[in-house]
Amino acid sequence: MPTDGAPAAEGTGGWLGTDRIRTAALAIIALSVLWRAQMASRGFLAADDYVMITQAAESDLTVGHLLTLYNNHLMPAGRLITWLITEHLGMVYWPYVLLMALGQAILGIAFLRLLRRLLRPSWLLLLPLGALMFSPLTLEATSWWAVGVNMLPMQIAMVLAVSAQVSYVQTGRKRHLVTLALSVLLGLVFFEKAILVVALVFLLTAALYADGGFFRTIWTTIRRWWPSWLLLTALSLGFLAAYLSNSESSLRRPTSVGEVFTFLTQMLGSTVMPGLVGGPWRWLGAGDGAPVAAPPELGRWVAWTLVVALIVATVRRRRRAGRAWLLLGAYLVLVAGMLAATRLGSTFSGVAGGVPRYVSDVVVVAAICLGVAVVGLARPSWGTGEAAPAVLDTPPAGSETNPEPADGTAPDRTVATPSAASTAPDPDSTASTASATTPVLAESVRTGPPKQVVARLGVIHAEAPVDPEPQPAAAAEPAPSVLAAERVPDDEAGAVDSPGPVASQHPAGGPDPDDATAPTPPPRQSVEQPAESERRPLAADSPPPPGLFGPLPERYREAVHVMLALVLVAICLGTVWTTSRYSDEWAAKSGRSYVDTVRIEMASAPPDTVFFDGPVPDEVVPNLSWPYNLQSRFFRAFGTRPTFVDEADNLSVLDSLGRIQVATVVGSTIQPGPQEGCGYLVSGGQSVRMPLNEPRQDWHWVVRIGYLSSTTGTGTLRLGTGTAEFPIKKGLNQRFFRIIGGGDSVELTVRGTDISFCTNEIAIGNPAPKPE
């Protein structure tokens, strides 16, 4: 029997073969995971990854380290994983690729489980699943560890929390509240933005499971499912108290209304809308980091057109679709408000709206809303505890309530048993009349007596593996459709036409109460006396129910179906193109080349090779990450690290490609001295002032002095208020040392017995490769 209340499509043998929808869904998930893993493996660590690895390499595994904020983000679980990998494997990328692929697989399986619980059984379940698993808006979360360690757990937490709340709404069992709390905690220990999961759970419950106007919906939601809100409120307040007490305020103020408008048009027009339909199709490179969305103008208009058309079409067909899209809009407002409050007014506010990772969690909500709008909810609105029709509240005479099953599904069915009214002989009745009251089973006839037959919303469901043989008289006249399986169109419920009756495979396999195009059945007085229109089954040659765009003339249906197929193919091709272009951008990694080259160079370098500490290339780690862009910290997780010193006679330097080069100093130099063949002659105990060709500001500088000395001694160099001493060796030598200071000249003093010191080479600046 299929799990989670999902249908078991026809198939043969095996766990997968019994459910074709599940088999196709798992194939989609596997394809997505393998594709994303292959794309991620083309790249390497980037920017924030190195900072997190450096911090892990410098720290012990302590509570203080785990709770330390990173860029004001609280992510103890992410720090724990990074520390473990750094401690045991060093600076490598493949474990992070493996973890992100695993997270993508967990997300897909959890989302499939949610869809089968939330929505009606249908092949159309594959649409929201595919939208989530292949959305270009989530590419960063499956390739860049610094993003994936936050966003993948948050997305998984969103799916698990919504699934737990839906289960609680459907069954009322308190154990689902424990799952709900644990799901939210899962997101919070990886990313503080997961606090939005609490708002999502409330908005989704109100939009999909409560009816009425705005205030009535809110009140009904609070009153009916108050245990959820009490639990989530306590959890949220506790987390916010712990987070805000240790964090600095990230709130910023936009500089103008135009900045806000630009941000919103970027976020919606360039990122969200194109991303939902396979865009943005074009990327703007951002160094080693992930590229920024830069869709063409035509692409923006096409995206808006497709999204608006989908919303209009689904709202016309299904009343609940309007609430689903309002749910997506409400979540977008929350995300936009949070981003505007923390990103606008900063250096990067001009491109904040074009960064997909900021809105990757929106894809989860959009996929849920797409499923609700296209497929329909698994249960009618009164299945959530609202007042149900009297015929459902009061079973017919002789019926007994179906005991609560042990598998966790809602006990919303009744067992149909013969009543006195239905079994009493009627002297005026004919054989055909008697047969009209005989139930027709929802599944194909098999052998053996039935163990239990249940009915719900006019559909009989066989819980036993065998059904009774129908009475011969049943073939003479159609049985009442209130006791027969109602036909569900293939494009809605995934049903497969068969010569016999169709098996009702889901508690919600009947008509969707939110379907605006579905005919409203007449009031039923009792199960044994259905309306005349319900007594007649759907004729074999009757037209199919209305499609996605409502009732259409027969001559237009094929054209519309072809058009929809072409649009879907175009979106798939656009997604493939967008993902391929992202993969090319992600594969270009300066950091990978730099790290690999340094490893090779260090393996063959002499033991006395030493370096002055300095920043790695800006394209590897941006200067904004100082001091974690310094080489001494960047290479902390290396197996063979460079040796860093503060002074040396012979200095090496790593160039921008990671190669070891002979060092010199590039910056200000002294003007030529007056002594021919000597430059500046300095005797023991004497100080000589030497003007610079360019002044130096007060800062940390490296000095290179080349000299000729008659004997050993000690020299002292002054640069403004800064001084530095260095040893003097006999003969022609050079010395590199550090100094803190600034000015337009230097003053040199030497000390030694009968020392004569000549120099015409003093440079103050930064180490650089010596020109060949």
Side-chain angles (χ1 to χ4, degrees), residues 634-692:
F634 178 85
F635 294 116
R636 184 66 64 90
F638 257 48
T640 303
R641 297 174 52 212
T643 302
F644 296 97
V645 297
D646 290 328
E647 58 179 318
D649 290 336
N650 297 295
L651 186 68
S652 298
V653 66
L654 294 169
D655 64 12
S656 60
L657 299 178
R659 298 173 301 183
I660 298 178
Q661 305 281 359
V662 176
T664 187
V665 172
V666 176
S668 300
T669 60
I670 60 173
Q671 297 180 5
Q675 300 290 332
E676 186 176 355
C678 177
Y680 293 94
L681 177 60
V682 185
S683 302
Q686 182 183 3
S687 296
V688 177
R689 181 179 178 275
M690 308 172 189
L692 299 173

Side-chain angles (χ1 to χ4, degrees), residues 333-376:
V333 169
L334 291 178
V335 172
M338 177 175 288
L339 288 176
T342 56
R343 293 293 183 269
L344 298 188
S346 66
T347 307
F348 304 102
S349 62
V351 295
V355 181
R357 64 178 175 271
Y358 292 158
V359 293
S360 58
D361 52 312
V362 174
V363 181
V364 176
V365 184
I368 294 174
C369 296
L370 174 65
V372 173
V374 174
V375 182

Side-chain angles (χ1 to χ4, degrees), residues 336-462:
M338 177 175 288
L339 288 176
T342 56
R343 293 293 183 269
L344 298 188
S346 66
T347 307
F348 304 102
S349 62
V351 295
V355 181
R357 64 178 175 271
Y358 292 158
V359 293
S360 58
D361 52 312
V362 174
V363 181
V364 176
V365 184
I368 294 174
C369 296
L370 174 65
V372 173
V374 174
V375 182
L377 285 177
R379 283 171 169 76
S381 58
W382 59 76
T384 63
E386 299 179 15
V391 66
L392 296 178
D393 287 340
T394 307
S399 297
E400 61 179 6
T401 302
N402 185 31
E404 186 176 274
D407 59 356
T409 57
D412 52 0
R413 302 165 299 202
T414 55
V415 179
T417 58
S419 64
S422 60
T423 58
D426 186 353
D428 298 327
S429 62
T430 62
S432 61
T433 305
S435 65
T437 61
T438 303
V440 177
L441 298 180
E443 294 186 346
S444 301
V445 176
R446 302 189 184 110
T447 60
K451 293 183 179 179
Q452 186 183 43
V453 180
V454 296
R456 180 182 180 271
L457 294 181
V459 181
I460 283 191
H461 302 267

Side-chain angles (χ1 to χ4, degrees), residues 186-462:
L186 171 67
L188 291 176
V189 296
F190 280 94
F191 196 16
E192 73 282 350
K193 187 183 177 182
I195 197 71
L196 290 181
V197 177
V198 175
L200 171 63
V201 170
F202 180 85
L203 292 174
L204 182 140
T205 306
L208 303 185
Y209 293 104
D211 287 331
F214 176 79
F215 293 105
R216 179 183 175 186
T217 296
I218 298 299
W219 171 243
T220 300
T221 304
I222 295 175
R223 175 181 56 84
R224 184 167 297 157
W225 298 289
W226 63 267
S228 292
W229 320 136
L230 180 62
L231 177 65
L232 293 180
T233 300
L235 185 62
S236 302
L237 292 178
F239 172 79
L240 290 175
Y243 173 69
L244 296 177
S245 62
N246 296 319
S247 65
E248 298 178 0
S249 177
S250 298
L251 298 179
R252 292 183 173 92
R253 181 176 298 178
T255 57
S256 64
V257 177
E259 183 183 15
V260 177
F261 179 77
T262 300
F263 164 73
L264 292 177
T265 53
Q266 266 190 347
M267 190 188 81
L268 294 176
S270 299
T271 307
V272 174
M273 294 303 169
L276 294 179
V277 294
W281 309 287
R282 189 174 66 189
W283 298 97
L284 180 64
D288 270 17
V292 179
E297 188 65 25
L298 177 61
R300 293 189 183 96
W301 287 106
V302 170
W304 277 100
T305 301
L306 291 177
V307 172
V308 171
L310 175 64
I311 293 175
V312 172
T314 53
V315 169
R316 284 186 57 192
R317 172 183 171 83
R318 209 180 299 279
R319 289 186 295 271
R320 189 67 63 177
R323 285 189 165 223
W325 298 124
L326 286 176
L327 167 63
L328 176 60
Y331 191 81
L332 273 172
V333 169
L334 291 178
V335 172
M338 177 175 288
L339 288 176
T342 56
R343 293 293 183 269
L344 298 188
S346 66
T347 307
F348 304 102
S349 62
V351 295
V355 181
R357 64 178 175 271
Y358 292 158
V359 293
S360 58
D361 52 312
V362 174
V363 181
V364 176
V365 184
I368 294 174
C369 296
L370 174 65
V372 173
V374 174
V375 182
L377 285 177
R379 283 171 169 76
S381 58
W382 59 76
T384 63
E386 299 179 15
V391 66
L392 296 178
D393 287 340
T394 307
S399 297
E400 61 179 6
T401 302
N402 185 31
E404 186 176 274
D407 59 356
T409 57
D412 52 0
R413 302 165 299 202
T414 55
V415 179
T417 58
S419 64
S422 60
T423 58
D426 186 353
D428 298 327
S429 62
T430 62
S432 61
T433 305
S435 65
T437 61
T438 303
V440 177
L441 298 180
E443 294 186 346
S444 301
V445 176
R446 302 189 184 110
T447 60
K451 293 183 179 179
Q452 186 183 43
V453 180
V454 296
R456 180 182 180 271
L457 294 181
V459 181
I460 283 191
H461 302 267

Side-chain angles (χ1 to χ4, degrees), residues 120-122 485-497 502 508-511 538 545:
R120 302 170 61 198
S122 170
E486 300 183 52
R487 293 187 55 143
V488 181
D490 291 321
D491 60 343
E492 291 189 32
V496 180
D497 290 337
V502 179
L538 197 62

Side-chain angles (χ1 to χ4, degrees), residues 75 95 121 344 357 417 449 480 485 532 567 584 615 622 641 681 708 721:
M75 42 183 295
L344 298 188
R357 64 178 175 271
T417 58
E532 181 65 25
V567 170
D584 293 339
R641 297 174 52 212
L681 177 60
L708 176 63
T721 58

